[in-house]
Amino acid sequence: MTIAKWTVTEYHQMIAAGILVERCVELLNGEIVEMTPEGEFHAYTSDEAAEYLIYLLGERAKVRQGKPITLPQSNSEPEPDIAIVQRLGRNYREHHPYPENIFWLIEYSNSTLSKDLEVKSKIYAAVGIPEYWVINLQNWEVVVFRSPTNTGYNSQEILSQGVIVPLAFRELEVSVERLFGE
């Protein structure tokens, strides 16, 4: 069996042509993948965390919720639950954030845990995203990936309490409990 692979440009053409209307999909490694609908708990916790991060970061960065990021090197255009990106204003009218615009990404994960921990972590590391957090809703823990390489992240830490100091903003302390909407 041969799987047809798509480029980011072809994916954008399909979107513009209306082919993917009413389809909840993302492009991962050139494959168009269905996204799992969010349950209430997932939606609540990711929304509460985004509001908390907006407050914490202020004008330092933009917090994007459920919006695409473009990773041309891997033919991927995922839609992470939360992306902390540079404030580029109207530039985002022309393109979604690229890896060089991203401070860190956060995925809230329950039914897609293996995809988020394995597939997405490798994609994000390979394109050089410095930090990636997976909020594991099954075990109430945060998996913090750092030190990207071409094959994955060299550093992985699991936290169930305390604080995380983001690499891009060493003066901030992000409460693990607040990431769970507490």
Side-chain angles (χ1 to χ4, degrees):
M1 173 171 75
T2 303
I3 296 174
K5 296 282 189 168
W6 307 97
T7 66
V8 170
T9 301
E10 292 167 332
Y11 182 66
H12 287 180
Q13 290 169 344
M14 285 186 256
I15 292 169
I19 294 170
L20 300 174
V21 170
E22 297 183 27
R23 300 288 300 265
C24 194
V25 297
E26 60 188 348
L27 184 67
L28 299 176
N29 288 324
E31 297 178 12
I32 299 171
V33 179
E34 294 275 354
M35 292 172 41
T36 305
E38 286 185 5
E40 291 85 355
F41 186 64
H42 179 283
Y44 170 78
T45 52
S46 63
D47 188 59
E48 288 294 309
E51 282 190 29
Y52 168 60
L53 291 169
I54 289 167
Y55 169 77
L56 267 184
L57 288 162
E59 292 298 313
R60 293 179 191 97
K62 178 153 186 62
V63 177
R64 290 171 50 110
Q65 298 180 60
K67 303 287 186 232
I69 58 172
T70 301
L71 314 174
Q73 308 92 316
S74 67
N75 280 317
S76 297
E77 194 164 279
E79 296 185 19
D81 289 309
I82 301 173
I84 294 79
V85 302
Q86 294 173 336
R87 289 189 163 278
L88 297 182
R90 292 184 178 167
N91 288 348
Y92 292 134
R93 287 181 177 181
E94 305 300 320
H95 65 84
H96 300 303
Y98 295 127
E100 60 269 20
N101 307 128
I102 298 168
F103 295 115
W104 84 90
L105 299 174
I106 302 174
E107 288 285 2
Y108 276 75
S109 192
N110 192 1
S111 61
T112 61
L113 190 58
S114 63
K115 177 175 81 170
D116 294 333
L117 290 173
E118 296 165 24
V119 177
K120 286 189 174 183
S121 71
K122 286 185 172 93
I123 291 170
Y124 297 155
V127 300
I129 293 172
E131 191 162 9
Y132 171 49
W133 303 355
V134 176
I135 313 298
N136 179 339
L137 296 173
Q138 294 176 11
N139 296 337
W140 283 74
E141 59 191 22
V142 180
V143 182
V144 178
F145 292 97
R146 292 180 171 160
S147 301
T149 71
N150 289 337
T151 58
Y153 286 94
N154 276 339
S155 170
Q156 178 182 329
E157 183 179 6
I158 299 173
L159 303 166
S160 57
Q161 59 185 7
V163 297
I164 305 168
V165 176
L167 294 174
F169 304 100
R170 298 288 190 170
E171 71 281 8
L172 292 182
E173 291 186 344
V174 178
S175 163
V176 170
E177 290 83 2
R178 292 289 301 268
L179 293 174
F180 285 102
E182 294 181 4

